[in-house]
Amino acid sequence: MARIPQNLVEEIRERVNIVDVVSPYVQLKKQGRNLFGKCPFHEERTPSFSVNEEKQIFHCFSCGRGGNVFSFLMEIENLSFPQAVAKVAPQAGVDLDEAYLDNDQNVQVDPEIKALRELYEEATKLYHHLLVNTASGEEALSYLTSRGLDEKTIDAFMLGYAPEGNILYDYFQTQKVDYQLLRKSELFVEWSDGSLHDRFANRVLFTIRDSAGHPIAFSGRKLTQNDDEPKYINSPESLLFNKSAELFNLDLAKDTIKKKKHVILFEGFMDVIAAFQAGVQNGVASMGTSLTSEQIQRLSRMTDKISISYDADMAGQKATKRALDLITQQGRLSAQIIHIPDNQDPDEYLRSNDATAFNQVLVHNVEDPVTFNLRYLQIDRNLHNQTELFSYISDALVVIATVKEPVIREQFLRQLANEFDLSYEALQDQIRPILLQKQAQRSSGATNTESGNRQKARHQSFPDNQIIKKSVTRIEKAEQILLAWMLRDNDVWLQVTNRANFSFQDVPYETLYMIAMAYREEYQQQPATDMAAFMDYVQKPELTRILASLEEIDSELFMDREQVSEYIRVISDEAPLEEKIRQLSRDIKEANQLHDHARIAQLSVEYMTVLKQKQTKNLDN
């Protein structure tokens, strides 16, 4: 497929009105300068989805989605960028040559990316061959079959074996592959003398593929009982592999996920593979147990329901809690938790039960998020202690207050009353102010749809007239304003880029910063004043959402050039301290759960020291 020329993309976008494209999906009404409607990407009562006809962009003030006409179609219909352009072309009166149509099989890519993909394809084939066809792979193959995997499944997932030595490096040497390409692949470890050595040795390899099926990384499980070695070694991030965005098995699962409108999130690769072999083909796993916003966004474009089936141990329960919180924040997917009987993981259960029993578990052993959170709150609490019981009741009521349906909320309150022999009426009295507070917050949010009313929602601190969600940190506010200023003002761009070693702390903003550099080089160092055009260049929906939100920043914030230095200082000086404070806070919480009093004392001293450093910096400024 040939790449659609940029001038043709711009012509198509300029010849259509985003309102005409959005209107079949959203009922829009004129309010002030913009048009508003209920967001099609999440359930809401008060319209927060805005379309700016003048700038030809959209933005939802609730879920944060945003972009131009192509971004909207990519989100709403799960299209690639070329597919979205092709869908809009007839409305623009443009006939696209068939060579530009996206068949997902022959997408033009950067030559270096193409070379790396070919390298990983060859490595995958070699490792798979060593597993299934050689004597050296017999132990690894025996391990996989003992875990219940058959030949067909081993082939489908292209599982492999990496023996001792440098067999992969030696193989590529015979192919005369460029040394620098091998370095960039992250298939090898570079020693201090510059020599390259196979990253994986004597390990079963799980092949990680992108959504198009290209191998992009490996996870190697050791076969020995050597405690000095980690159980798993994973490929580091590379030009091909971004672990925050990828999901194991998405390439094989995506069609079933779209068809069933349901995805199951497992904790381990073996869980996904065993479930797939048992006929459950809509399962994926994140890279490790920490689900990310990027992964949720990818899934939300395919489905509206997610089931979490993590391990029953403490690590699995913590991971489930983190995943639920993140899914709730995103507001697009409905979630439930699957419990495997006898505290087994899915892979273990399938080795002792058949596929029918497993499918019954997936349907019937489910728990809603509120029930899970109430149970999770009881962990590490002595509920026979009155103080801890009262603390639990207070936290539980906050959870129950998130239930929108009065009947269901009443049911949870009665369960809580019966479980601890409490007065139902007293619980009603205690939850009432929490509900009123939530109602007030929703009402306050509803005022944000009109341009004039949005003034009331602006924050009273740094800066006191910024239109940003309340959850955004001081540092991210600085990143938002500075990046927006840099994109529209060439002098500010030069002021920031002339500072040595400057970088944004949050990955999305740093990514946009790097893309903007490339954009300016391609367009003779011109500022990105046409945001819709810059969105075409960026293409990724998760980044165009940020660009759409930047357009909502009050223009008055770009008047005082002295503020540029202040934003730079906040990003460069305060962000590292904030991250250290967050990490220490997490460490202290973990030490508390382990009752490690010596470590709690040590970490508390460090925590107070960093807090004082932060306070000192604030006083100095």
Side-chain angles (χ1 to χ4, degrees):
M1 181 194 76
R3 182 178 180 179
I4 305 175
Q6 188 63 32
N7 63 332
L8 187 55
V9 171
E10 290 179 6
E11 180 186 352
I12 292 170
R13 177 176 46 76
E14 289 171 358
R15 290 175 65 172
V16 297
N17 189 332
I18 190 173
V19 175
D20 296 331
V21 176
V22 171
S23 292
Y25 304 90
V26 184
Q27 186 176 353
L28 297 171
K29 291 183 179 180
K30 188 78 172 179
Q31 294 182 6
R33 289 189 305 166
N34 294 350
L35 294 98
F36 283 86
K38 293 181 180 178
C39 183
F41 302 113
H42 67 95
E43 186 177 338
E44 62 178 4
R45 297 181 183 181
T46 305
S48 60
F49 181 87
S50 166
V51 177
N52 187 312
E53 196 168 6
E54 179 185 349
K55 296 178 180 178
Q56 289 291 298
I57 62 175
F58 75 93
H59 180 233
C60 176
F61 292 95
S62 180
C63 71
R65 282 179 170 82
N68 63 8
V69 63
F70 302 134
S71 309
F72 178 81
L73 288 172
M74 289 167 71
E75 292 267 10
I76 198 77
E77 295 198 9
N78 193 32
L79 302 178
S80 67
F81 182 77
Q83 288 172 332
V85 175
K87 189 173 180 69
V88 174
Q91 285 183 258
V94 175
D95 292 326
L96 273 182
D97 191 293
E98 285 193 9
Y100 297 139
L101 300 183
D102 183 8
N103 59 15
D104 284 334
Q105 299 297 318
N106 188 28
V107 180
Q108 182 174 334
V109 294
D110 178 89
E112 188 172 49
I113 297 295
K114 186 173 184 291
L116 287 171
R117 282 180 178 171
E118 291 172 353
L119 212 62
Y120 269 86
E121 189 71 38
E122 288 298 308
T124 301
K125 290 176 181 177
L126 177 61
Y127 284 140
H128 184 65
H129 166 74
L130 291 170
L131 173 71
V132 300
N133 296 320
T134 69
S136 65
E138 286 180 357
E139 182 184 359
L141 187 60
S142 176
Y143 164 77
L144 291 172
T145 54
S146 72
R147 298 289 296 267
L149 302 187
D150 59 29
E151 181 180 318
K152 184 178 178 181
T153 300
I154 290 170
D155 289 344
F157 284 87
M158 286 300 285
L159 303 182
Y161 170 65
E164 295 285 357
N166 290 315
I167 191 167
L168 185 64
Y169 180 74
D170 293 341
Y171 170 75
F172 283 136
Q173 284 293 93
T174 64
Q175 305 295 312
K176 301 188 184 309
V177 178
D178 179 66
Y179 169 81
Q180 292 299 334
L181 185 67
L182 294 179
R183 284 186 69 227
K184 291 180 180 178
S185 73
E186 297 294 353
L187 286 166
F188 308 96
V189 176
E190 183 177 1
W191 287 9
S192 58
D193 62 359
S195 61
L196 300 179
H197 301 265
D198 288 9
R199 182 175 295 280
F200 303 100
N202 195 26
R203 288 178 179 268
V204 172
L205 294 185
F206 296 91
T207 304
I208 299 165
R209 300 180 289 210
D210 63 19
S211 61
H214 302 117
I216 55 174
F218 296 101
S219 179
R221 190 195 189 283
K222 70 178 181 180
L223 290 170
T224 65
Q225 299 299 317
N226 185 352
D227 291 336
D228 293 334
E229 294 183 359
K231 186 175 181 180
Y232 282 92
I233 291 179
N234 301 316
S235 294
E237 294 197 341
S238 67
L239 290 173
L240 296 182
F241 178 48
N242 175 2
K243 67 180 181 181
S244 296
E246 299 298 336
L247 288 152
F248 179 73
N249 193 46
L250 188 60
D251 60 318
L252 298 181
K254 61 184 179 183
D255 289 341
T256 306
I257 292 171
K258 293 174 187 176
K259 183 179 178 181
K260 292 189 173 184
K261 289 294 180 183
H262 180 205
V263 62
I264 302 175
L265 183 66
F266 293 107
E267 183 168 330
F269 300 152
M270 277 301 302
D271 295 329
V272 174
I273 297 171
F276 193 93
Q277 184 173 283
V280 180
Q281 300 185 347
N282 57 332
V284 298
S286 55
M287 300 296 113
T289 55
S290 294
L291 191 65
T292 68
S293 297
E294 290 175 86
Q295 290 162 344
I296 293 174
Q297 288 167 4
R298 294 192 74 177
L299 293 174
S300 70
R301 293 196 288 271
M302 303 178 189
T303 181
D304 50 21
K305 180 181 179 183
I306 183 168
S307 296
I308 304 170
S309 183
Y310 284 169
D311 293 352
D313 59 15
M314 181 53 68
Q317 294 301 287
K318 287 183 178 179
T320 301
K321 171 64 175 171
R322 285 196 299 270
L324 271 180
D325 289 347
L326 203 56
I327 291 166
T328 301
Q329 290 169 16
Q330 296 288 317
R332 175 70 177 88
L333 295 170
S334 64
Q336 65 180 18
I337 298 86
I338 296 172
H339 291 291
I340 307 299
D342 303 322
N343 289 334
Q344 293 179 303
D345 60 38
D347 171 42
E348 289 174 330
Y349 185 82
L350 275 165
R351 273 181 273 154
S352 54
N353 297 272
D354 60 19
T356 302
F358 182 65
N359 276 278
Q360 288 296 310
V361 167
L362 298 183
V363 173
H364 298 295
N365 284 36
V366 296
E367 184 178 56
D368 64 87
V370 174
T371 302
F372 170 85
N373 280 317
L374 292 176
R375 183 170 52 78
Y376 185 83
L377 284 172
Q378 295 186 16
I379 297 174
D380 290 333
R381 269 183 162 134
N382 178 11
L383 298 181
H384 296 293
N385 178 290
Q386 191 176 56
T387 301
E388 292 199 36
L389 174 60
F390 289 161
S391 175
Y392 167 74
I393 297 299
S394 296
D395 291 343
L397 289 174
V398 173
V399 170
I400 294 172
T402 63
V403 179
K404 295 179 180 178
E405 299 81 1
V407 173
I408 300 175
R409 191 165 62 237
E410 178 184 340
Q411 183 181 0
F412 279 114
L413 280 178
R414 291 195 182 279
Q415 287 176 0
L416 189 65
N418 293 336
E419 184 176 0
F420 297 102
D421 194 22
L422 300 169
S423 163
Y424 170 72
E425 289 73 18
L427 291 178
Q428 275 189 315
D429 289 341
Q430 194 168 340
I431 201 173
R432 190 169 292 113
I434 303 173
L435 294 172
L436 289 172
Q437 184 180 17
K438 286 186 174 294
Q439 184 179 354
Q441 289 171 348
R442 285 195 294 269
S443 299
S444 176
T447 65
N448 293 340
T449 56
E450 284 260 16
S451 177
N453 288 340
R454 281 202 304 270
Q455 304 287 340
K456 300 175 183 177
R458 294 173 181 173
H459 292 285
Q460 299 303 311
S461 60
F462 189 72
D464 59 8
N465 57 346
Q466 164 68 327
I467 307 171
I468 294 176
K469 290 183 180 180
K470 293 182 179 179
S471 59
V472 173
T473 65
R474 168 184 170 87
I475 293 161
E476 189 174 353
K477 291 177 191 177
E479 290 183 313
Q480 287 178 329
I481 300 167
L482 185 61
L483 179 60
W485 209 338
M486 291 171 66
L487 291 175
R488 65 176 64 189
D489 190 321
N490 199 53
D491 291 337
V492 174
W493 175 273
L494 294 174
Q495 181 179 343
V496 176
T497 54
N498 285 336
R499 290 180 62 95
N501 302 321
F502 174 82
S503 64
F504 288 90
Q505 298 299 317
D506 289 312
V507 173
Y509 295 99
E510 179 67 10
T511 303
L512 284 168
Y513 176 37
M514 301 302 292
I515 293 174
M517 283 185 174
Y519 181 84
R520 287 172 61 89
E521 286 181 14
E522 190 168 327
Y523 289 89
Q524 291 77 48
Q525 302 301 323
Q526 292 300 310
T529 50
D530 185 346
M531 189 58 73
F534 185 47
M535 287 173 177
D536 288 343
Y537 192 84
V538 172
Q539 294 189 14
K540 291 187 176 182
E542 62 269 23
L543 297 179
T544 59
R545 294 175 191 178
I546 294 175
L547 292 174
S549 69
L550 299 185
E551 286 295 285
E552 300 298 329
I553 297 174
D554 196 314
S555 58
E556 292 181 4
L557 293 175
F558 306 118
M559 304 295 289
D560 183 2
R561 280 286 300 275
E562 291 183 5
Q563 288 299 309
V564 173
S565 298
E566 172 64 9
Y567 296 141
I568 294 173
R569 184 197 66 76
V570 170
I571 296 167
S572 301
D573 295 346
E574 291 188 17
L577 282 177
E578 289 287 353
E579 176 54 32
K580 194 167 184 179
I581 289 169
R582 283 194 295 270
Q583 184 59 53
L584 284 169
S585 180
R586 289 193 291 265
D587 292 344
I588 291 171
K589 186 176 180 180
E590 183 179 330
N592 265 306
Q593 291 170 341
L594 296 173
H595 305 293
D596 188 343
H597 300 295
R599 181 160 171 75
I600 292 170
Q602 174 197 340
L603 291 169
S604 297
V605 172
E606 292 181 35
Y607 184 81
M608 293 306 297
T609 301
V610 178
L611 276 182
K612 287 179 181 177
Q613 290 175 1
K614 179 185 174 184
Q615 290 168 356
T616 300
K617 281 187 175 291
N618 288 341
L619 288 173
D620 290 342
N621 295 282

